[in-house]
Amino acid sequence: MAVIQMNLMSSSLRLSTDVSIILPFFSTHDYAAGRVPRMFPEKGEKYQVLWLLNGGAGFEQDYIHRSNIVRYAEEHMIAVVTPAGYNMNYDDHDPGMKMCRYVGEELPNVLRSIFPLSPRREDNFIGGYSMGSNGAQKVAVRYPEQYAAVLGMSAGSFNVRPKGEARRRLETGLPMPPHKPDEMEENCRILEAAVLAGKKVPDFFLIHGENDIARDGSVRSAAFLRKLGLNVYLEEVPGVGHEWDLWDPVLKRALSELLPIRHGLVPA
Amino acid sequence: MAVIQMNLMSSSLRLSTDVSIILPFFSTHDYAAGRVPRMFPEKGEKYQVLWLLNGGAGFEQDYIHRSNIVRYAEEHMIAVVTPAGYNMNYDDHDPGMKMCRYVGEELPNVLRSIFPLSPRREDNFIGGYSMGSNGAQKVAVRYPEQYAAVLGMSAGSFNVRPKGEARRRLETGLPMPPHKPDEMEENCRILEAAVLAGKKVPDFFLIHGENDIARDGSVRSAAFLRKLGLNVYLEEVPGVGHEWDLWDPVLKRALSELLPIRHGLVPA
Amino acid sequence: MAVIQMNLMSSSLRLSTDVSIILPFFSTHDYAAGRVPRMFPEKGEKYQVLWLLNGGAGFEQDYIHRSNIVRYAEEHMIAVVTPAGYNMNYDDHDPGMKMCRYVGEELPNVLRSIFPLSPRREDNFIGGYSMGSNGAQKVAVRYPEQYAAVLGMSAGSFNVRPKGEARRRLETGLPMPPHKPDEMEENCRILEAAVLAGKKVPDFFLIHGENDIARDGSVRSAAFLRKLGLNVYLEEVPGVGHEWDLWDPVLKRALSELLPIRHGLVPA
Amino acid sequence: MAVIQMNLMSSSLRLSTDVSIILPFFSTHDYAAGRVPRMFPEKGEKYQVLWLLNGGAGFEQDYIHRSNIVRYAEEHMIAVVTPAGYNMNYDDHDPGMKMCRYVGEELPNVLRSIFPLSPRREDNFIGGYSMGSNGAQKVAVRYPEQYAAVLGMSAGSFNVRPKGEARRRLETGLPMPPHKPDEMEENCRILEAAVLAGKKVPDFFLIHGENDIARDGSVRSAAFLRKLGLNVYLEEVPGVGHEWDLWDPVLKRALSELLPIRHGLVPA
C-alpha cells in the first residue's frame, strides 16, 4: 500500500496543485493474513482507477481524512486519485482555472505518464460527494467514453426544474464562482448529444440520504437519465443526510458490490 | 526545529486550506555544535513571525521547496508562516475568497490562538516574491499597525504610471482573477490616509534583480514611499532576474542583516 | 478543524520524527449545520487530548488513513495526537531510541509548549491498537498520574503466563527489537508499586475482537487489573478480529460514550 | 514539476515508511521563460535518478527542507529519490530493518514498477551527506553494477585505520545501532572482490569541507579507491565544515557539472 501526496504544476490551472493517490500493493492486510504478498504491478500490469472529487469547502485529502477509502482501495486493489477542487464547481472558468479540463484531460494524461494506471474506459470510474458529485457527472458527460461508471453521492447534475417552477437560488454561502444559471440544462444537452452520436456513456450510480438536501435533485436526475435509456442505479439510504455517515459506507459498498470493478490488477 | 504542514478550514476562504509553519527549537544545528539546546518556548515566551506569501502559479510550500528558509529560520529563531495564495493576487474577491482578510486577519488570529506567536507589531514581518510581494504590500497597508516591516522581492505595489503613459497590460497568462485596474492607486491612497492619520506604518525593504521584469515597479514604488516620508531600503542585485537565485539569498540576508529581528525568542 | 503533519527534532529519539495532530475548531460540520462556529480556543482555553499509538508495521498516519478519527475528534472537540512508533514496541532502548520517554515526557512537553493542550490528568487519555495498545499501557503505568484513562484495543500488557505454562514465542516476523522477555512482569510490578504508593492510576478500557489473536491477553490483563482494584471496562466485540473493522468503530464509541471526556474545550 | 511524498509498506523494513520523490516536468521555470513546456515523459521515456540518503538525526525530507534540490532537479531533468534513513547507518540489522537491502533492492524495484525510472546503470547515481554518504558508498559497493557514480559528501567509507593506530570510538551520541566495528574493512573487502571479479563499479566523487570532521576519512577513502584503480574525484571545499553550507552548493554543482548526467530524459 502506498499513499502519495503529490504537488504538480498544472497548465490547465496554472497553479502548483495537490493531488492524493492511493496505490494498493503489499499491505499490512496481506501481512496479517499470512499471505505471500503480491508486491506491485509487474511489467505491463496496470491499476483500475477511481477518480474522486471533493465537495464544497473541502480539499483533496477529505476522502483520506473523513472516510476509510485507503482500506477499501487496498482491499479491492484499485487506485484512487483525489484532485483538489478549490470550490470551483469543476467548471472551466474564463479567465481562471480550467477545472473540468484539468480533471478530465490533464490530470489523467499526467498521471498515466507517471503511474501504471489503465487508460481504458472499462477501468476508469469517477465519483464524488455533493459539489464533487456534480463535478463527477459534469466531467463524465464531457468525456463520456473515458469512464465506465459515475458514482454520484448526494447531488444530481441533470436536475432541471420543470417549466414554470421558480428558480431556487442556491444559497450555499460558499465563495465559489457563481453557478452558471443553465449548468443543468447544459449537462443534459451534452449528454443527449453524446447518446445521439452513438457514443458509449457511463452507467450512473446515484445515491443520496433520506434527509439529504440533494434528495430531490438526485431523484430527478435519475429520471432524466433513465428516459435517455441509460443504466441507472438509484438508492436512498434511510436515516442519514448530506454527510460522511452516508458517504463512507457508500464508498465501501461501491468498491465491494456496486461498481463493476475487477478487484485486482488489469493484466498486461 | 519543527516543520508543520497544516490544513485548516478557513471562514474567509470557505475552504480547507494549507499553510506551512516553521518553528525553530532544538535543532541538528545545536546538536552538531555541541550546544545545550534551548528546547522550545517556556511559559509566556513567543516567536517573532515572518509571514511569506507565494507568487503566481506557486503554492504554500514554494519557500520550503525552493529556498533554504528552514535553515535560515532555525538559525535566527524566527517562526515562518506561508499560506496558500491560489493565484488570487491577495485580493478580497466578491463573490469569492477573501484573500487579503485571510492573510491579514483570520490566519494571524487562528495561529496565535494555537501557537506561541507574538501579536505585537515589532515582532511581525511580512514578505513575498512577485505576486506575493505585491500581496505583502497590499496586506501591510491595509493592516499597517500589524507589521514592523515589509520585504518586497521583485514587485512594487505603488507603481502608479505617470499621467498619460499608456497602461501596460499585464499579460501573465495566469488565470488569476483579472487585476483590478486601479489596484496600485488604491494601495497609494490607503497608505497615504494611514500616514495622515498618524498610524504607524511598516518600513519597506524593496529588492529586485538587475534583469528583473519588476525592476521598474520596484524603483518607482520606493520613490513613492520615500516621498511619503517612510523608511525605505531599495536594492538592485546585479546579474539576476525574477528568480529564486535572487530570492533565496535575499531571504538569507533578510534574516541575518536586513530585517530588525531579535534573533531569539520574545521574552514573556 | 485543523489536521497538522509536524516533523520535529526529538532529543529522546535523536531523530527528526513525524507526528500528526488533529485540532478541532471551525468545521464543515458546523458550517453545514448552519451553526455560528466557535472558531478556536480563546485565551486560556485548552484542548483535552487523546494520544494514540500505532501498531506494528504501521506509522503515525495510520489512524487518519484507516479510521475516521478526524471526524470523531471534530465532533467531540478533542485533540488527537499520533506519534510515529517505528516498530520499537514503545520501549526505551539502550543504545537507541527512548520511545517510552518520548511518548510520555518529551512529546507532551514539546506539544504543550506549542499548542493549547491541557496538561491536567483528567484531560489526557492514551490508547492504541495492537503494539500501540501495549505501548499505551506501558507508557501509562510509567506515567500513571498523567492519564485519566487508557484505551487498549487488541492487546493487554499484564498478560503474565501462569507458572509452568510454556512461554509462547511471539513470532510476529516483525523486525522489532526483540520483546524483553519479562516486559509483562515489569508492567505488573510497576503498576503494583504505583497503587501501593497511593498514586492515581488511570482507568482501563480493554477491548478486543471475538476472533482476535489478542483475546486471551486482553482478558487476562483485565483480570490482573481488577484484582488490583482498578476500574476496568472489558469488552469483546463479536464477529471481528485483529483489524480496523474493530478499531474504527471502537474509536467512535470511545469518544461518544466510553471515555470520560468533556465533548468540549477545557475552560481557562 | 512534481514533488511527491509517498508512504509505502516496505517488506525489508516491515514498516510503513516515507519516501520523497522529485519528478521534473512542466515547470514555473519553463513557464517564466516562455518555453513551450515538455510536459512529461512520453511513451517509453524514462528519468535518470539520483538516490539521496539522509544523515544522522535527519529524515527523508532533509534535502527538500535544507537544500534547493527541487530546483536543481527541475533544471537538470533528473528524478531525485530520498528514502528515510532512521539513524540505522544503512546496515541490514538482524533482527531489525534491512536498510541496505531496502535502499539497494526493494525501493528501486517498487519505484521502477510505479514510476518511469530508468533501471540502467548509467542512469542511476547514489549519494548522501554524513551518515548518508557512508550509506551511499555502503549500498553502492554491495550493488556495484547498479550505479554509475557515488556522490559522497562529508564521509568516506573505506577509512581503514593504519595498523596499530588506536580505534577512535565514534561518540556521536546518536542512538543508532552501534557501528559494526569492522564496517570499513568489510566495505573494502566487498569492493576489492567486485573489482577482481571484473564487475563494473561506480565512479566516486568524494567532497568534504576544509573544517569537516569527516575530512580525514574522505581523503583516506579516496586513496584506497585510487589504489584500486577506480575513478575518483576528491575535493576539499575551503571555509566550510560538516554542514548544509557545503552540501547545498555541492548538490548544485553535482548536477550542473560533476556527475555524468544527461540533463534530459532517457529516450525510449
Side-chain angles (χ1 to χ4, degrees), chain B residues 103-153:
Chain B
V103 172
E105 281 186 53
E106 185 186 10
L107 190 63
N109 284 341
V110 170
L111 295 189
R112 285 168 191 157
S113 81
I114 297 178
F115 297 103
L117 305 181
S118 170
R120 299 190 311 187
R121 181 184 176 279
E122 64 262 37
D123 296 325
N124 284 272
F125 309 88
I126 188 165
Y129 70 89
S130 193
M131 182 187 79
S133 173
N134 191 15
Q137 294 166 74
K138 189 175 286 182
V139 172
V141 299
R142 282 158 181 79
Y143 301 92
E145 301 199 301
Q146 184 160 284
Y147 306 100
V150 175
L151 176 66
M153 302 184 290

Short mmCIF file of all heavy atoms in Angstrom, two decimals, chain B residues 103-153:
data_model
loop_
_atom_site.label_atom_id
_atom_site.label_comp_id
_atom_site.label_asym_id
_atom_site.label_seq_id
_atom_site.Cartn_x
_atom_site.Cartn_y
_atom_site.Cartn_z
N VAL B 103 -5.21 36.60 5.06
CA VAL B 103 -3.79 36.74 5.43
C VAL B 103 -3.61 37.75 6.56
O VAL B 103 -2.80 37.55 7.47
CB VAL B 103 -2.96 37.14 4.21
CG1 VAL B 103 -1.51 37.48 4.61
CG2 VAL B 103 -2.97 36.03 3.17
N GLY B 104 -4.39 38.83 6.51
CA GLY B 104 -4.16 39.91 7.48
C GLY B 104 -4.94 39.78 8.77
O GLY B 104 -4.55 40.37 9.79
N GLU B 105 -6.02 39.00 8.75
CA GLU B 105 -6.84 38.89 9.97
C GLU B 105 -7.03 37.46 10.45
O GLU B 105 -6.64 37.10 11.55
CB GLU B 105 -8.24 39.46 9.70
CG GLU B 105 -8.32 40.96 9.75
CD GLU B 105 -9.75 41.44 9.63
OE1 GLU B 105 -10.62 40.98 10.40
OE2 GLU B 105 -10.00 42.29 8.74
N GLU B 106 -7.67 36.65 9.60
CA GLU B 106 -8.08 35.34 10.08
C GLU B 106 -6.89 34.45 10.45
O GLU B 106 -6.85 33.87 11.53
CB GLU B 106 -8.96 34.61 9.06
CG GLU B 106 -9.48 33.29 9.63
CD GLU B 106 -10.24 32.45 8.62
OE1 GLU B 106 -10.23 32.78 7.42
OE2 GLU B 106 -10.84 31.44 9.04
N LEU B 107 -5.95 34.36 9.53
CA LEU B 107 -4.83 33.45 9.78
C LEU B 107 -4.02 33.87 11.02
O LEU B 107 -3.71 33.02 11.86
CB LEU B 107 -3.95 33.35 8.53
CG LEU B 107 -2.88 32.25 8.59
CD1 LEU B 107 -3.51 30.87 8.69
CD2 LEU B 107 -1.98 32.32 7.36
N PRO B 108 -3.67 35.15 11.16
CA PRO B 108 -2.98 35.54 12.42
C PRO B 108 -3.81 35.20 13.66
O PRO B 108 -3.27 34.69 14.64
CB PRO B 108 -2.79 37.05 12.27
CG PRO B 108 -2.80 37.30 10.80
CD PRO B 108 -3.74 36.28 10.20
N ASN B 109 -5.12 35.45 13.60
CA ASN B 109 -5.95 35.14 14.77
C ASN B 109 -5.96 33.65 15.09
O ASN B 109 -5.81 33.25 16.23
CB ASN B 109 -7.39 35.62 14.53
CG ASN B 109 -7.52 37.11 14.67
OD1 ASN B 109 -6.65 37.75 15.28
ND2 ASN B 109 -8.57 37.68 14.12
N VAL B 110 -6.15 32.84 14.05
CA VAL B 110 -6.18 31.39 14.27
C VAL B 110 -4.83 30.92 14.81
O VAL B 110 -4.75 30.23 15.83
CB VAL B 110 -6.52 30.64 12.97
CG1 VAL B 110 -6.29 29.14 13.15
CG2 VAL B 110 -7.97 30.90 12.56
N LEU B 111 -3.76 31.31 14.13
CA LEU B 111 -2.45 30.75 14.50
C LEU B 111 -2.00 31.24 15.88
O LEU B 111 -1.38 30.49 16.64
CB LEU B 111 -1.41 31.07 13.44
CG LEU B 111 -1.67 30.41 12.08
CD1 LEU B 111 -0.47 30.60 11.15
CD2 LEU B 111 -1.98 28.92 12.21
N ARG B 112 -2.34 32.49 16.22
CA ARG B 112 -1.95 32.98 17.54
C ARG B 112 -2.77 32.32 18.65
O ARG B 112 -2.35 32.34 19.81
CB ARG B 112 -2.12 34.51 17.60
CG ARG B 112 -1.04 35.24 16.83
CD ARG B 112 -1.37 36.70 16.65
NE ARG B 112 -0.44 37.33 15.70
CZ ARG B 112 -0.70 38.43 15.01
NH1 ARG B 112 -1.88 39.04 15.15
NH2 ARG B 112 0.18 38.92 14.17
N SER B 113 -3.92 31.78 18.29
CA SER B 113 -4.70 31.07 19.31
C SER B 113 -4.19 29.65 19.50
O SER B 113 -4.53 28.98 20.47
CB SER B 113 -6.18 31.05 18.93
OG SER B 113 -6.45 30.02 17.99
N ILE B 114 -3.37 29.19 18.56
CA ILE B 114 -2.86 27.82 18.63
C ILE B 114 -1.39 27.80 18.99
O ILE B 114 -0.96 27.01 19.82
CB ILE B 114 -3.06 27.11 17.27
CG1 ILE B 114 -4.54 26.98 16.95
CG2 ILE B 114 -2.40 25.74 17.29
CD1 ILE B 114 -4.81 26.33 15.61
N PHE B 115 -0.61 28.67 18.36
CA PHE B 115 0.84 28.65 18.53
C PHE B 115 1.31 29.87 19.33
O PHE B 115 0.63 30.90 19.34
CB PHE B 115 1.54 28.69 17.16
CG PHE B 115 1.26 27.50 16.30
CD1 PHE B 115 0.36 27.58 15.25
CD2 PHE B 115 1.91 26.30 16.53
CE1 PHE B 115 0.11 26.49 14.44
CE2 PHE B 115 1.66 25.19 15.73
CZ PHE B 115 0.76 25.29 14.68
N PRO B 116 2.47 29.78 19.95
CA PRO B 116 3.02 30.92 20.71
C PRO B 116 3.66 31.94 19.78
O PRO B 116 4.89 32.09 19.76
CB PRO B 116 4.04 30.26 21.64
CG PRO B 116 4.49 29.03 20.93
CD PRO B 116 3.32 28.57 20.10
N LEU B 117 2.85 32.65 19.02
CA LEU B 117 3.33 33.65 18.07
C LEU B 117 3.02 35.03 18.64
O LEU B 117 1.87 35.32 18.99
CB LEU B 117 2.64 33.49 16.72
CG LEU B 117 2.73 32.10 16.06
CD1 LEU B 117 2.03 32.12 14.71
CD2 LEU B 117 4.18 31.66 15.90
N SER B 118 4.01 35.88 18.69
CA SER B 118 3.80 37.22 19.24
C SER B 118 2.85 38.02 18.36
O SER B 118 3.04 38.08 17.15
CB SER B 118 5.14 37.95 19.34
OG SER B 118 4.90 39.31 19.66
N PRO B 119 1.85 38.67 18.96
CA PRO B 119 0.95 39.51 18.17
C PRO B 119 1.46 40.95 18.04
O PRO B 119 0.82 41.75 17.36
CB PRO B 119 -0.34 39.47 18.99
CG PRO B 119 0.12 39.34 20.40
CD PRO B 119 1.42 38.56 20.37
N ARG B 120 2.57 41.28 18.69
CA ARG B 120 2.99 42.67 18.71
C ARG B 120 3.57 43.11 17.37
O ARG B 120 4.22 42.34 16.67
CB ARG B 120 4.02 42.88 19.83
CG ARG B 120 3.44 42.55 21.21
CD ARG B 120 4.37 42.99 22.31
NE ARG B 120 5.73 42.53 22.06
CZ ARG B 120 6.71 42.65 22.93
NH1 ARG B 120 6.48 43.22 24.12
NH2 ARG B 120 7.92 42.21 22.65
N ARG B 121 3.32 44.36 17.06
CA ARG B 121 3.76 44.94 15.80
C ARG B 121 5.24 44.69 15.55
O ARG B 121 5.64 44.28 14.45
CB ARG B 121 3.48 46.45 15.85
CG ARG B 121 3.87 47.20 14.60
CD ARG B 121 3.63 48.69 14.79
NE ARG B 121 4.10 49.40 13.61
CZ ARG B 121 5.36 49.72 13.39
NH1 ARG B 121 6.29 49.43 14.29
NH2 ARG B 121 5.71 50.33 12.27
N GLU B 122 6.07 44.95 16.55
CA GLU B 122 7.52 44.89 16.32
C GLU B 122 8.02 43.46 16.12
O GLU B 122 9.20 43.26 15.83
CB GLU B 122 8.28 45.55 17.47
CG GLU B 122 8.14 44.85 18.81
CD GLU B 122 7.07 45.52 19.67
OE1 GLU B 122 6.05 45.97 19.08
OE2 GLU B 122 7.26 45.60 20.89
N ASP B 123 7.13 42.49 16.29
CA ASP B 123 7.53 41.09 16.14
C ASP B 123 6.99 40.45 14.86
O ASP B 123 7.15 39.25 14.65
CB ASP B 123 7.06 40.28 17.35
CG ASP B 123 7.72 40.74 18.63
OD1 ASP B 123 8.91 41.12 18.57
OD2 ASP B 123 7.06 40.73 19.69
N ASN B 124 6.33 41.24 14.03
CA ASN B 124 5.74 40.67 12.82
C ASN B 124 6.26 41.35 11.56
O ASN B 124 6.31 42.58 11.48
CB ASN B 124 4.20 40.77 12.88
CG ASN B 124 3.62 39.73 13.83
OD1 ASN B 124 3.35 38.61 13.41
ND2 ASN B 124 3.48 40.08 15.11
N PHE B 125 6.58 40.52 10.59
CA PHE B 125 7.17 40.95 9.32
C PHE B 125 6.45 40.20 8.21
O PHE B 125 6.08 39.05 8.38
CB PHE B 125 8.67 40.63 9.31
CG PHE B 125 9.37 41.13 10.54
CD1 PHE B 125 9.44 40.33 11.69
CD2 PHE B 125 9.89 42.40 10.59
CE1 PHE B 125 10.03 40.80 12.85
CE2 PHE B 125 10.50 42.88 11.75
CZ PHE B 125 10.56 42.08 12.89
N ILE B 126 6.22 40.88 7.11
CA ILE B 126 5.51 40.21 6.02
C ILE B 126 6.28 40.43 4.72
O ILE B 126 6.81 41.51 4.47
CB ILE B 126 4.04 40.71 5.91
CG1 ILE B 126 3.26 39.85 4.91
CG2 ILE B 126 3.95 42.20 5.59
CD1 ILE B 126 1.75 40.02 5.00
N GLY B 127 6.35 39.38 3.92
CA GLY B 127 7.10 39.49 2.67
C GLY B 127 6.58 38.55 1.62
O GLY B 127 5.63 37.80 1.83
N GLY B 128 7.22 38.61 0.47
CA GLY B 128 6.83 37.74 -0.62
C GLY B 128 7.68 38.01 -1.84
O GLY B 128 8.49 38.94 -1.86
N TYR B 129 7.50 37.16 -2.84
CA TYR B 129 8.19 37.35 -4.12
C TYR B 129 7.13 37.49 -5.20
O TYR B 129 6.08 36.87 -5.13
CB TYR B 129 9.14 36.18 -4.42
CG TYR B 129 8.44 34.90 -4.74
CD1 TYR B 129 8.06 34.57 -6.05
CD2 TYR B 129 8.11 33.99 -3.73
CE1 TYR B 129 7.39 33.40 -6.33
CE2 TYR B 129 7.44 32.82 -4.01
CZ TYR B 129 7.08 32.53 -5.31
OH TYR B 129 6.41 31.36 -5.59
N SER B 130 7.38 38.36 -6.14
CA SER B 130 6.49 38.53 -7.31
C SER B 130 5.06 38.81 -6.84
O SER B 130 4.86 39.73 -6.03
CB SER B 130 6.59 37.27 -8.18
OG SER B 130 6.02 37.49 -9.44
N MET B 131 4.07 38.06 -7.27
CA MET B 131 2.69 38.30 -6.82
C MET B 131 2.61 38.31 -5.29
O MET B 131 1.80 39.04 -4.71
CB MET B 131 1.75 37.23 -7.38
CG MET B 131 0.28 37.43 -7.01
SD MET B 131 -0.78 36.03 -7.52
CE MET B 131 -0.41 34.83 -6.21
N GLY B 132 3.47 37.55 -4.64
CA GLY B 132 3.49 37.52 -3.18
C GLY B 132 4.07 38.78 -2.58
O GLY B 132 3.73 39.17 -1.46
N SER B 133 4.96 39.44 -3.32
CA SER B 133 5.49 40.73 -2.87
C SER B 133 4.39 41.77 -2.94
O SER B 133 4.19 42.56 -1.99
CB SER B 133 6.67 41.15 -3.76
OG SER B 133 7.09 42.45 -3.45
N ASN B 134 3.67 41.74 -4.03
CA ASN B 134 2.51 42.62 -4.16
C ASN B 134 1.52 42.34 -3.03
O ASN B 134 0.99 43.25 -2.40
CB ASN B 134 1.86 42.39 -5.53
CG ASN B 134 0.83 43.44 -5.86
OD1 ASN B 134 0.78 44.49 -5.22
ND2 ASN B 134 0.00 43.16 -6.85
N GLY B 135 1.29 41.05 -2.77
CA GLY B 135 0.37 40.68 -1.70
C GLY B 135 0.83 41.19 -0.34
O GLY B 135 0.04 41.70 0.45
N ALA B 136 2.12 41.08 -0.08
CA ALA B 136 2.64 41.51 1.22
C ALA B 136 2.42 43.01 1.41
O ALA B 136 2.03 43.46 2.50
CB ALA B 136 4.13 41.16 1.32
N GLN B 137 2.65 43.79 0.36
CA GLN B 137 2.47 45.23 0.48
C GLN B 137 0.98 45.59 0.58
O GLN B 137 0.59 46.48 1.32
CB GLN B 137 3.13 45.93 -0.72
CG GLN B 137 4.65 45.76 -0.69
CD GLN B 137 5.32 46.12 -2.01
OE1 GLN B 137 5.43 47.28 -2.34
NE2 GLN B 137 5.76 45.12 -2.75
N LYS B 138 0.17 44.85 -0.17
CA LYS B 138 -1.27 45.08 -0.15
C LYS B 138 -1.83 44.81 1.25
O LYS B 138 -2.63 45.61 1.77
CB LYS B 138 -1.91 44.14 -1.17
CG LYS B 138 -3.36 44.37 -1.43
CD LYS B 138 -3.84 43.45 -2.56
CE LYS B 138 -3.32 43.92 -3.91
NZ LYS B 138 -3.81 43.08 -5.03
N VAL B 139 -1.44 43.70 1.83
CA VAL B 139 -1.91 43.37 3.18
C VAL B 139 -1.35 44.39 4.18
O VAL B 139 -2.07 44.87 5.06
CB VAL B 139 -1.49 41.93 3.57
CG1 VAL B 139 -1.79 41.65 5.04
CG2 VAL B 139 -2.20 40.91 2.67
N ALA B 140 -0.08 44.74 4.02
CA ALA B 140 0.58 45.60 5.01
C ALA B 140 -0.07 46.98 5.09
O ALA B 140 -0.21 47.55 6.18
CB ALA B 140 2.08 45.73 4.70
N VAL B 141 -0.46 47.55 3.95
CA VAL B 141 -1.04 48.90 4.01
C VAL B 141 -2.47 48.85 4.56
O VAL B 141 -2.97 49.85 5.08
CB VAL B 141 -1.01 49.62 2.64
CG1 VAL B 141 0.43 49.78 2.17
CG2 VAL B 141 -1.88 48.93 1.62
N ARG B 142 -3.13 47.69 4.46
CA ARG B 142 -4.49 47.57 5.00
C ARG B 142 -4.48 47.21 6.49
O ARG B 142 -5.49 47.40 7.18
CB ARG B 142 -5.26 46.54 4.19
CG ARG B 142 -5.76 47.12 2.85
CD ARG B 142 -6.05 46.08 1.81
NE ARG B 142 -6.50 46.69 0.56
CZ ARG B 142 -5.68 47.25 -0.34
NH1 ARG B 142 -4.38 47.26 -0.12
NH2 ARG B 142 -6.17 47.80 -1.43
N TYR B 143 -3.38 46.65 6.96
CA TYR B 143 -3.22 46.34 8.39
C TYR B 143 -1.88 46.94 8.82
O TYR B 143 -0.98 46.21 9.26
CB TYR B 143 -3.25 44.82 8.62
CG TYR B 143 -4.54 44.20 8.14
CD1 TYR B 143 -4.66 43.69 6.85
CD2 TYR B 143 -5.65 44.11 8.99
CE1 TYR B 143 -5.85 43.13 6.40
CE2 TYR B 143 -6.85 43.55 8.55
CZ TYR B 143 -6.93 43.07 7.25
OH TYR B 143 -8.10 42.51 6.82
N PRO B 144 -1.74 48.26 8.71
CA PRO B 144 -0.39 48.85 8.80
C PRO B 144 0.22 48.71 10.19
O PRO B 144 1.44 48.67 10.32
CB PRO B 144 -0.63 50.32 8.45
CG PRO B 144 -2.06 50.58 8.79
CD PRO B 144 -2.78 49.29 8.51
N GLU B 145 -0.61 48.66 11.21
CA GLU B 145 -0.03 48.64 12.56
C GLU B 145 0.29 47.23 13.02
O GLU B 145 0.60 47.00 14.17
CB GLU B 145 -0.98 49.35 13.54
CG GLU B 145 -1.21 50.79 13.08
CD GLU B 145 -1.74 51.69 14.17
OE1 GLU B 145 -2.81 51.39 14.70
OE2 GLU B 145 -1.04 52.68 14.48
N GLN B 146 0.16 46.30 12.09
CA GLN B 146 0.40 44.90 12.45
C GLN B 146 1.80 44.44 12.12
O GLN B 146 2.26 43.43 12.64
CB GLN B 146 -0.64 44.02 11.72
CG GLN B 146 -0.56 42.56 12.08
CD GLN B 146 -1.84 41.82 11.75
OE1 GLN B 146 -2.85 41.92 12.44
NE2 GLN B 146 -1.81 41.07 10.70
N TYR B 147 2.51 45.18 11.26
CA TYR B 147 3.80 44.70 10.79
C TYR B 147 4.89 45.76 10.99
O TYR B 147 4.67 46.93 10.69
CB TYR B 147 3.74 44.33 9.30
CG TYR B 147 2.63 43.35 8.99
CD1 TYR B 147 1.42 43.78 8.46
CD2 TYR B 147 2.80 41.99 9.25
CE1 TYR B 147 0.40 42.90 8.18
CE2 TYR B 147 1.78 41.09 8.98
CZ TYR B 147 0.58 41.55 8.46
OH TYR B 147 -0.42 40.67 8.19
N ALA B 148 6.06 45.31 11.45
CA ALA B 148 7.18 46.23 11.61
C ALA B 148 7.86 46.52 10.28
O ALA B 148 8.42 47.60 10.09
CB ALA B 148 8.20 45.65 12.59
N ALA B 149 7.81 45.54 9.38
CA ALA B 149 8.50 45.74 8.10
C ALA B 149 7.91 44.84 7.03
O ALA B 149 7.31 43.80 7.33
CB ALA B 149 10.00 45.46 8.24
N VAL B 150 8.10 45.29 5.80
CA VAL B 150 7.67 44.53 4.62
C VAL B 150 8.90 44.19 3.80
O VAL B 150 9.75 45.06 3.57
CB VAL B 150 6.71 45.38 3.75
CG1 VAL B 150 6.35 44.64 2.47
CG2 VAL B 150 5.47 45.76 4.53
N LEU B 151 8.99 42.94 3.38
CA LEU B 151 10.06 42.52 2.49
C LEU B 151 9.47 42.23 1.12
O LEU B 151 8.87 41.18 0.89
CB LEU B 151 10.74 41.25 3.04
CG LEU B 151 11.82 40.63 2.15
CD1 LEU B 151 13.02 41.56 2.04
CD2 LEU B 151 12.24 39.26 2.68
N GLY B 152 9.63 43.18 0.20
CA GLY B 152 9.06 43.02 -1.14
C GLY B 152 10.13 42.63 -2.13
O GLY B 152 10.97 43.43 -2.50
N MET B 153 10.08 41.38 -2.56
CA MET B 153 11.08 40.89 -3.51
C MET B 153 10.46 40.82 -4.90
O MET B 153 9.51 40.07 -5.14
CB MET B 153 11.58 39.50 -3.09
CG MET B 153 12.18 39.47 -1.68
SD MET B 153 12.87 37.85 -1.23
CE MET B 153 11.36 36.87 -1.07
#
